[in-house]
Amino acid sequence: MIKNYFKISIRNLLKNKTLSLLNLIGLSVGISSVLTLLFSVYAYYTADNHISDKENIVYIKTVLTDGNDYSHVPYPLLDRVLNSSPDVIAGTHLHNWNNMWLTSEEKDFQNRTDFADPEFFEVFDIPLKYGNKTTALKEKYSIVLTDKVSKQIFGDINPVGKTLVGSDTLNLKVTGVFEPISPYSAFRLGVVLPNTILKTNPSFIAQNNWANSFSPTYFRLRPNSDLTQLKNNVTQLMSENSIDANTIAKMTVMPFVDMRTDAIPIVDIIITSSIAASFFILLIILVNFLNLNTSTMLGRTKTIAVRKVLGSDKRGLIIQYCIENGILVFVSILLSAFLFLTINLPRLNDTFGPEFGRISFDIFKDYPIVLGIILIGILATLMVSILPSLRFVKIPVTLGIKGKVQQVKSNFLLRNSFIILQFTIAILCISIAIILNKQIGFMKNADLGFERNNVLVGNIDLDYKKLDIAQSKFNALLNELESNPYVKSVSTSQAIPSEYYFNYTNYYDPTNDIDVRIRRSYADQSYFKTLEIPIVEGRSFNQNIDQADEYPVIINESALKAFGWKTIKGKTLNYKGGNGKGQPIVGVVKDFHYQDLQNAVEPLVHIYRDRKTLKQHRFLTVRVQEGHETSIENIISTAFENIPSRKRYIQSRLTDKVSGQYLLIEGILKSVNITAILAIFISCLGLFGLISFSAKRRVKEIGVRKVLGAGVTKIVFLLSKDYVILVGIAALIAFPIAWYLMNSWLDGFAYSISIKWWMFGLAAFIALLITSFTLGLRAIKSAVANPINSLRTE
């Protein structure tokens, strides 16, 4: 019997080729999209599952009086908390100091380097692939590698006990290798070394005090600890010891499980949107599958009636349709898996990989996703098979034999509600995509306060093997560039727009008794000229006048306003508690957007540093005459090829750097665009099936109207008008939702567009245009059919 069910099912699917193909396309595309979205959510939420009892891990966050915050605290705070907070079991620092070069068999490797306390594994119970967690960081010159770095250096062997040379001088013993860590994890580790290595580092010693906040600090607490008491204790310790206590509003204890969304708030939007989009797409494909399945069963009422006359019961008929739809769903799942692995997953990595890291799919490790998709397939099969079957098997045999299904009462309210819901989602996605696109376009093309076109930038922080030789060749390159007629200006600096360090210093004005937290950077005499940033007061740096050891500075307008000054005449920048000799302020530049437009322009100070100090600059910036960018790039690249260094020289256009700040938001836009296309596409597949259903039900009516003189246009209008009205209702529902969501989202930007009425009008026009085209295809086919054949239909 089961064999016969399969034969009949395949025969029916082939007989209804068009609707079967529509179902197959809609299901395959929809399920592959749901699979992609759910897998990204699954990968995110399971990324830190390797850390046991993570609910009892916290980190400390500093909140300033100006509203800014950061997850760094003074290094000495940890020991004071351990000694004064009974709820704290263990604590550790985990901070970057420098990305150390590691040498193995004369090959150099550089990866992210973090320094942690020996108690690191008491706080984070991260499993090791090789080594012993108890002793891994106890020795001063030990090093723990991630699995990725271990394979990069040693291949697939166990490297514990082997030696690496760090920074050309340190003999480091490999004492552990982490199990593979998800790129979505809160930890972006490369190698971890004990903090005891830094205890003799003069630079670290100078920073290891209450005046500098550079170290993220983590604690493991006892279950059910009082977080409020811990927060009050940390705040009290900071107020007693920090010399900048007046600039600190409070100290906050943050759960480790919230660390990723706290560091990159937009992640929460991505995850929430992915869950919502997967739910909506799943709902749309199920409704369309149900509608299209009902449409195919419409022409099979005679078959059902005949089988009932021959003795088939309701159970047999339902099993038949379950198997038929099960075959369709199973094939769709296979096709969706192929689309996911070959198209969707690579695109997902291309979109979010640069920010979060690349992920891979392992059928054995990620089996919950496989089981989830199979479960969705089973539920979909049962839903779309049983519901229509119960409806059609109840048709009286006398009506079924005559094919008079139009006498069967239909639940139009439920069907129309589903259509409205589908197109509400589709139009909502289209509206969001339009507003997102306008915001990204605004940010990319806005006046940033500097001229970004025709500017080349290159990273010159390359870890030169012989600095004196590198300096000599670099000076020769600068001279060559300055004498080139196609080069307008050359500059070296610590930062460029889009890549400023989060270097903040608190400066003090004793006249007004004001503390101002200012971001700082270093630049040479040509920096503002090269970027064409206007000087609004004073002058730019001048190598003939300024001396680097006097630290002359140029501030921006925001810093001027923050101090409450009208002019810089007679003003200096002073450290609170300093020796009284301030840094001379030689100029004020117009505010420019050195970070993306999600953030307001903050107070900024540039400190003078001579351009030929190669070791202390990160970027070479060159303004060239339009049309000669490539030739100048070749000159610079050739020069750096002849300078021995551990890193490779990489250069790009400043326009690309600025646009690159919005890659993550553009990734969201791509996801929204795809969701919108899928929603409208799958919804239109459902409409195609429904209008086919309607045309079959009204075939005699159409024939009679044509005989009485109705034209094609009138019949198309007759068949389509109800659906167009439903799409219009969906648009009216979607618009206020889209406005509320996007207005709330845009509030998070310091600079944003205003939402205009035409954006919603464009979304409605796109939806109506696509809908009308879809409806028109099927309606015209019915309208031009021969009325004689229609009137003959029984």
Side-chain angles (χ1 to χ4, degrees):
M1 182 60 70
I2 296 296
K3 184 178 180 181
N4 288 334
Y5 283 149
F6 273 98
K7 284 183 179 180
I8 296 171
S9 297
I10 294 173
R11 188 183 303 149
N12 287 331
L13 290 172
L14 295 175
K15 181 180 179 182
N16 297 284
K17 293 185 181 67
T18 301
L19 291 178
S20 295
L21 183 62
L22 289 175
N23 265 326
L24 191 62
I25 294 173
L27 285 170
S28 300
V29 174
I31 293 175
S32 69
S33 302
V34 171
L35 177 59
T36 305
L37 292 167
L38 290 181
F39 179 66
S40 63
V41 173
Y42 167 81
Y44 176 80
Y45 279 117
T46 60
D48 286 322
N49 280 358
H50 59 290
I51 304 174
S52 63
D53 197 27
K54 56 182 177 290
E55 293 76 15
N56 291 318
I57 301 174
V58 298
Y59 66 97
I60 307 300
K61 191 172 180 180
T62 304
V63 181
L64 304 177
T65 52
D66 62 7
N68 290 300
D69 58 61
Y70 50 86
S71 56
H72 297 77
V73 298
Y75 192 86
L77 177 65
L78 183 139
D79 288 336
R80 297 294 297 272
V81 173
L82 289 174
N83 292 330
S84 59
S85 298
D87 286 334
V88 176
I89 299 174
T92 183
H93 302 96
L94 183 66
H95 57 87
N96 177 264
W97 192 254
N98 64 315
N99 290 329
M100 185 178 293
W101 280 98
L102 303 173
T103 303
S104 175
E105 297 179 354
E106 300 184 354
K107 291 183 180 180
D108 293 330
F109 304 87
Q110 187 183 46
N111 290 277
R112 177 186 172 90
T113 305
D114 287 284
F115 293 84
D117 296 310
E119 294 78 17
F120 173 80
F121 288 103
E122 296 179 26
V123 178
F124 298 103
D125 189 18
I126 302 176
L128 291 181
K129 184 177 182 179
Y130 305 114
N132 187 333
K133 288 184 289 187
T134 306
T135 58
L137 291 172
K138 295 295 184 183
E139 298 179 19
K140 180 177 181 179
Y141 296 106
S142 58
I143 183 171
V144 180
L145 314 176
T146 58
D147 184 61
K148 181 180 179 180
V149 173
S150 176
K151 290 179 178 177
Q152 178 190 12
I153 300 176
F154 298 105
D156 293 325
I157 66 171
N158 180 354
V160 172
K162 295 187 177 294
T163 300
L164 294 171
V165 179
S167 301
D168 298 324
T169 58
L170 302 175
N171 291 318
L172 303 172
K173 180 182 177 181
V174 179
T175 55
V177 176
F178 291 108
E179 288 283 0
I181 298 175
S182 167
Y184 282 6
S185 173
F187 290 131
R188 305 285 185 87
L189 300 176
V191 301
V192 179
L193 291 91
N195 266 320
T196 46
I197 290 180
L198 296 176
K199 295 296 177 66
T200 55
N201 184 309
S203 178
F204 177 79
I205 294 172
Q207 298 288 321
N208 185 1
N209 53 55
W210 288 92
N212 295 287
S213 297
F214 66 87
S215 180
T217 303
Y218 303 87
F219 298 101
R220 176 175 288 279
L221 308 181
R222 302 182 191 282
N224 303 317
S225 296
D226 187 348
L227 296 184
T228 302
Q229 182 178 347
L230 176 60
K231 181 183 72 172
N232 293 337
N233 182 37
V234 172
T235 301
Q236 180 66 26
L237 290 172
M238 285 295 294
S239 64
E240 291 174 355
N241 296 280
S242 176
I243 64 171
D244 295 322
N246 291 334
T247 65
I248 298 174
K250 61 180 179 178
M251 305 297 291
T252 303
V253 178
M254 300 292 294
F256 171 74
V257 292
D258 296 335
M259 182 177 175
R260 290 173 295 177
T261 53
D262 182 52
I264 311 178
I266 202 169
V267 171
D268 195 38
I269 298 174
I270 294 173
I271 296 300
T272 304
S273 300
S274 296
I275 295 173
S278 60
F279 172 78
F280 289 140
I281 292 174
L282 186 61
L283 180 62
I284 288 173
I285 61 177
L286 286 177
V287 170
N288 279 283
F289 193 15
L290 182 62
N291 288 336
L292 290 172
N293 200 46
T294 303
S295 180
T296 60
M297 293 187 69
L298 175 66
R300 296 163 63 178
T301 52
K302 286 187 179 181
T303 304
I304 295 172
V306 170
R307 291 185 63 175
K308 288 171 70 174
V309 170
L310 296 176
S312 294
D313 57 3
K314 292 181 181 180
R315 179 184 173 189
L317 291 170
I318 292 174
I319 292 174
Q320 167 69 57
Y321 296 124
C322 284
I323 292 175
E324 186 174 316
N325 289 301
I327 293 172
L328 200 61
V329 170
F330 177 73
V331 174
S332 299
I333 289 176
L334 293 180
L335 289 174
S336 67
F338 174 77
L339 292 174
F340 167 70
L341 294 173
T342 59
I343 299 176
N344 294 8
L345 186 58
R347 287 183 65 85
L348 182 71
N349 280 322
D350 290 342
T351 300
F352 299 112
E355 183 67 31
F356 299 108
R358 303 183 71 84
I359 56 174
S360 59
F361 179 79
D362 186 327
I363 192 171
F364 298 105
K365 185 180 70 174
D366 301 317
Y367 66 89
I369 288 292
V370 178
L371 295 178
I373 292 298
I374 292 175
L375 179 61
I376 289 173
I378 293 172
L379 293 176
T381 300
L382 294 176
M383 179 184 297
V384 302
S385 301
I386 295 175
L387 292 180
S389 298
L390 289 175
R391 177 185 173 191
F392 281 92
V393 296
K394 291 179 180 179
I395 298 175
V397 173
T398 54
L399 295 179
I401 290 291
K402 294 179 181 180
K404 295 182 178 180
V405 293
Q406 65 271 23
Q407 298 180 25
V408 181
K409 186 177 180 181
S410 301
N411 192 343
F412 290 107
L413 179 61
L414 180 61
R415 187 197 68 185
N416 291 345
S417 298
F418 277 131
I419 294 173
I420 292 172
L421 175 61
Q422 290 172 325
F423 278 92
T424 297
I425 296 168
I427 296 171
L428 177 64
C429 292
I430 294 172
S431 301
I432 291 173
I434 291 172
I435 296 171
L436 262 176
N437 189 69
K438 289 297 295 181
Q439 175 64 16
I440 293 173
F442 164 75
M443 292 189 295
K444 282 188 171 183
N445 300 310
D447 180 8
L448 302 178
F450 62 90
E451 180 53 56
R452 67 193 112 172
N453 295 315
N454 308 319
V455 177
L456 309 177
V457 291
N459 192 326
I460 57 176
D461 180 19
L462 305 180
D463 278 330
Y464 302 99
K465 294 182 178 180
K466 295 183 179 179
L467 184 60
D468 54 344
I469 296 175
Q471 184 71 68
S472 175
K473 291 187 176 183
F474 182 66
N475 291 343
L477 172 63
L478 290 178
N479 293 333
E480 181 181 359
L481 291 173
E482 289 179 332
S483 63
N484 191 301
Y486 301 122
V487 175
K488 294 183 176 181
S489 182
V490 181
S491 171
T492 58
S493 58
Q494 187 189 54
I496 57 172
S498 77
E499 288 204 29
Y500 270 73
Y501 280 138
F502 285 90
N503 282 347
Y504 290 93
T505 299
N506 286 317
Y507 291 99
Y508 177 68
D509 180 16
T511 305
N512 299 333
D513 192 25
I514 294 176
D515 275 310
V516 178
R517 182 172 176 262
I518 304 179
R519 187 180 287 196
R520 59 182 172 84
S521 187
Y522 291 85
D524 71 357
Q525 66 274 10
S526 300
Y527 181 72
F528 301 109
K529 175 185 175 182
T530 303
L531 294 180
E532 298 183 3
I533 301 172
I535 303 289
V536 297
E537 184 184 357
R539 60 173 176 84
S540 186
F541 294 129
N542 188 320
Q543 62 181 345
N544 298 320
I545 302 174
D546 297 319
Q547 300 295 322
D549 55 0
E550 293 180 356
Y551 302 107
V553 301
I554 293 176
I555 61 175
N556 66 350
E557 292 175 308
S558 292
L560 189 74
K561 294 174 184 175
F563 280 115
W565 297 337
K566 300 296 183 181
T567 179
I568 58 170
K569 290 181 180 179
K571 305 296 185 182
T572 59
L573 283 188
N574 299 274
Y575 294 103
K576 190 171 184 178
N579 57 14
K581 183 181 178 181
Q583 297 173 244
I585 306 174
V586 300
V588 180
V589 293
K590 188 176 180 62
D591 279 345
F592 66 97
H593 296 279
Y594 55 88
Q595 52 188 344
D596 62 55
L597 293 186
Q598 295 180 75
N599 301 287
V601 177
E602 297 177 322
L604 178 67
V605 58
H606 287 87
I607 305 169
Y608 174 69
R609 183 180 282 164
D610 186 77
R611 74 165 57 165
K612 294 183 178 180
T613 310
L614 178 61
K615 184 179 179 181
Q616 295 179 311
H617 286 295
R618 284 202 303 153
F619 292 101
L620 171 66
T621 308
V622 183
R623 176 170 294 281
V624 302
Q625 186 174 323
E626 187 174 0
H628 296 276
E629 293 89 350
T630 302
S631 61
I632 302 302
E633 283 177 332
N634 292 335
I635 291 173
I636 299 172
S637 297
T638 302
F640 276 100
E641 286 175 2
N642 296 319
I643 301 177
S645 61
R646 284 191 169 101
K647 296 179 183 177
R648 185 171 63 89
Y649 176 75
I650 299 175
Q651 62 186 347
S652 59
R653 310 287 172 92
L654 184 57
T655 50
D656 296 333
K657 286 279 189 182
V658 172
S659 297
Q661 298 176 103
Y662 306 111
L663 285 177
L664 190 57
I665 299 178
E666 286 183 316
I668 297 175
L669 175 60
K670 290 178 183 178
S671 300
V672 172
N673 287 341
I674 292 171
T675 302
I677 291 170
L678 284 175
I680 198 76
F681 172 72
I682 298 172
S683 297
C684 286
L685 284 180
L687 278 189
F688 189 88
L690 287 174
I691 198 170
S692 299
F693 179 89
S694 178
K696 287 182 179 180
R697 288 179 59 246
R698 305 172 69 174
V699 64
K700 277 193 175 183
E701 178 189 347
I702 294 170
V704 170
R705 287 178 180 271
K706 290 192 70 176
V707 169
L708 294 177
V712 172
T713 303
K714 189 170 184 179
I715 292 174
V716 170
F717 177 75
L718 175 71
L719 292 173
S720 307
K721 66 175 182 178
D722 291 339
Y723 299 109
V724 173
I725 291 172
L726 293 177
V727 174
I729 295 172
L732 294 176
I733 296 173
F735 291 159
I737 299 174
W739 180 87
Y740 175 78
L741 292 175
M742 296 312 294
N743 194 56
S744 301
W745 183 70
L746 290 173
D747 282 343
F749 289 80
Y751 308 91
S752 63
I753 62 170
S754 297
I755 299 177
K756 306 293 186 182
W757 67 266
W758 65 262
M759 299 176 183
F760 301 117
L762 179 59
F765 174 75
I766 292 172
L768 286 171
L769 182 66
I770 297 173
T771 302
S772 300
F773 178 76
T774 304
L775 293 170
L777 286 177
R778 187 62 183 87
I780 290 172
K781 181 179 178 181
S782 300
V784 299
N786 191 332
I788 297 176
N789 295 331
S790 301
L791 293 172
R792 270 197 211 144
T793 302
E794 291 294 332

